[in-house]
Each structure stands twice: as structure tokens, then as C-alpha cells.
Amino acid sequence: MPALHALANPTRFLSIARPLTPVLLWAGLLLLAVGAWAGLTLTPPDYLQGESVRILYVHVPSAWLGMGGWTGIALASFSLLVWRHPLAAIAARAVALPGAVFAALCLITGSIWGRPTWGTWWEWDGRLTSMLLLFFLYLAWIGLARADAERGGDGRIPAIFGLAGTALLPVIRYSVVWWRTLHQGPSITVSGSSIDGSILWPLWLTLTGFSLVFGAIVLMRMRAMLAQQRLEARMRRMAA
Amino acid sequence: MNHWPFILAAYGVVAAAMALLIGASWRAMRRAERAVEDLRR
């Protein structure tokens, strides 16, 4: 926690974010390129799903970051409500758009994967429906945060919404256990994976790569928002 | 059924979305930081 408070100073945050942004971006893109190449060319087809299993390497990281993004909003919301962390509202706003994009990518890649595997683009299955709800939550949060900022709000209302929305995350996680329909059950858990190692290994590369790129995008968006804030403050001082 | 068009479509959508997201974030950051630097001068 002391590290979080140390970052409360925007100048100190920027001194870390500036050199970190290109490192995260290029390391992430390199891992993504290697992981995607390995997933497309080196791994064997699945005995049941055939070649379509290769969509795993972009679908699972999208789902992970769609849910991870909302966890980021919730953590930022918590630090805004409890500690009034000065960067919390900016962090939440910076995470929301990439989180929504990854939730959408999870839905789109899942739909593309579903057609050759299940014979349908969409099914009102527990996992698919709960993920769609998460995407709508992102859109609602983005709209609410924008309206709050325009009205000069202190960010507390979007923060409460951000915390309340976390109730959906365990529903998504356990939807494949509670409602067994089309989507397969959990294949990667804390106790191990039911996916064979020959297929699984590039997933760690793309998962890490997407996460690093996500981090770089969030830092870029936070830097843009902080610069915009400084610009507006300076304009106000000049006008006064 | 040939799975490769589906695989390439999935990878293509993700690559396009990532490129757009990275490009837009980078441009917005550079524009805002340059405006602050210009104002400082």
C-alpha cells in the first residue's frame, strides 16, 4: 500500500510512467508476436476442435483483460472512496475504454470460434450472456463517468457504480459451473489446466503480451488525461 | 469445414482493434503533452 500512496503525486507518477510506457508496449508487442506465431504455426490441432483451437490465444487474453479491466476500475474506485487518491479517478477512466474493447473482443472472437465449433455464432448461454452484460456495464460506466466529469463531480458516483459492478465478475467466472450449456467448463484453474501442455504454452506468451500492452495503453491514456488537466489549469490561471 | 478463415478473422479483428487502440492512445498522449510543453515555452 505505501507504493500506491507514493504514486499519489502526479509528478512522481509521471517520472515512472514516462520510461515505463515504451518498455511495456514493446515488450508486450514482442511477446504477442512470438505467441501468435507459435499459436498459429507450432502447436498441434486439438483432437476435438481441430484447427479452430488456435483462437484460444486471442480469446482467453481478451476475456482475462475484459474482466481484469473491471477489477482495475473497482480498485481505483476503492482507493478514490477510501483514500481520496488523486490519481484514482483518472486511472479508472483510463482503464475503462481498453477494458470495454477487450470485453467486446472476447465476445467477437468467441462468436467466431463458436461458429465452426458449436455450429452457431451466438447462444444465450450463461458465460456469453454474463460477458455481454459486462460489456454493457463498461458502456454505462463510461457514460456515467463522462457525465460526472462534465458536471464537475468528484467521481464518487462512478466509483460506487464501479464497486457495485464487481458483483458480476464471480457470476462470469462461475457461469460455466452453474449453468452448463454450450460453453466449456473451466479449463484453467489454480490447481492446474485440463489443456494439454503442447497446446497451452503459447497462451502464457499472449496472455503476458496482451497484459503488458494493456498496461502501456492505460499509462498512455493516464498521461494524456494528466496533461489535459495541466493544460486546462494553466489556461484557467492565464484567463484569471 | 475449413477453420482457417475463422482463425484469421479472429486474429485480424484483434490486431485491428489493438492497432486502433494503441494508435489513438499514443496520438492523444503526444498531442496533450506537446500542448503542455508549448504552453510552458
Side-chain angles (χ1 to χ4, degrees), chain A residues 32 40 49 51-52 54 57-58 102 105 109 112 115-116 121 210 213 217 220-221 223-224 227 230-231 234, chain B residues 1 3-4 6-11 13-14 17-18 21-22 25-26 28-30 32-33 35-36 39-40:
Chain A
L32 270 181
L40 288 171
Q49 300 187 32
E51 299 286 357
S52 71
R54 300 181 197 283
Y57 308 116
V58 290
F102 276 101
L105 285 174
T109 55
I112 295 171
R115 183 67 186 88
W121 297 100
F210 274 111
V213 172
I217 292 168
M220 284 190 265
R221 288 174 53 77
R223 285 172 59 181
R230 285 185 173 192
L231 200 63
R234 199 167 279 244
Chain B
M1 185 188 278
H3 289 179
W4 280 101
F6 295 96
I7 298 166
L8 295 177
Y11 278 72
V13 167
V14 172
M18 293 284 286
L21 201 53
I22 292 169
S25 307
W26 179 263
M29 178 191 77
R30 286 304 304 141
E33 289 186 343
V36 172
L39 208 64
R40 231 179 244 160

Side-chain angles (χ1 to χ4, degrees), chain A residues 181-195:
Chain A
T181 52
L182 264 184
H183 199 285
Q184 68 188 63
S187 40
I188 301 170
T189 61
V190 284
S191 57
S193 167
S194 59
I195 302 171

Side-chain angles (χ1 to χ4, degrees), chain A residues 137-160:
Chain A
L137 271 191
Y138 270 117
L139 297 186
W141 192 91
I142 290 168
L144 186 63
R146 192 167 295 174
D148 184 68
E150 279 170 8
R151 288 179 184 185
D154 57 3
R156 268 188 298 182
I157 292 171
I160 291 166

Side-chain angles (χ1 to χ4, degrees), chain A residues 120-167:
Chain A
T120 181
W121 297 100
W122 182 263
E123 180 70 34
W124 292 102
D125 153 285
R127 172 61 64 86
L128 276 67
T129 308
S130 54
M131 200 66 202
L132 182 64
L133 278 176
L134 179 67
F135 175 65
F136 289 145
L137 271 191
Y138 270 117
L139 297 186
W141 192 91
I142 290 168
L144 186 63
R146 192 167 295 174
D148 184 68
E150 279 170 8
R151 288 179 184 185
D154 57 3
R156 268 188 298 182
I157 292 171
I160 291 166
F161 182 26
L163 280 179
T166 52

